[in-house]
Amino acid sequence: DNGEPTWSEPGFGCASLTRAGKTIVAMTEEGDLVLFDADPKRYQERGRQRIGTSPTRAHPALANGILYARTPAELLAIDLKP
């Protein structure tokens, strides 16, 4: 309530963030796809996979459980459904 961060993750770097239910989907500038809990109290990473190369700056789109991401070399569609 005071405007101070409740947590931070050192070394995470720049990323585009999208919320998917109780999960945050992050596409880092380095090309990592990172899934973590949408929890204001703590950072809990659920998965990380390098899917692109640096610099990856385009914001991904999520539709019907499919993540669409553009890397410097290609356009990707990744099924994130369980």
Side-chain angles (χ1 to χ4, degrees):
D1 293 14
N2 61 8
E4 294 295 317
T6 57
W7 61 260
S8 66
E9 182 62 20
F12 193 85
C14 295
S16 296
L17 307 177
T18 302
R19 183 172 179 180
K22 295 181 181 180
T23 301
I24 302 293
V25 179
M27 184 69 183
T28 72
E29 192 173 61
E30 298 299 318
D32 289 343
L33 176 64
V34 183
L35 305 178
F36 62 93
D37 291 345
D39 184 342
K41 295 179 181 161
R42 67 187 178 112
Y43 177 82
Q44 179 64 52
E45 192 169 299
R46 297 296 176 185
R48 180 184 290 257
Q49 178 69 44
R50 174 74 40 104
I51 64 167
T53 58
S54 182
T56 297
R57 295 190 179 119
H59 194 88
L62 185 63
N64 299 317
I66 307 294
L67 181 79
Y68 299 90
R70 186 180 65 77
T71 71
E74 59 193 342
L75 180 64
L76 304 168
I78 301 167
D79 189 346
L80 296 180
K81 294 179 290 236

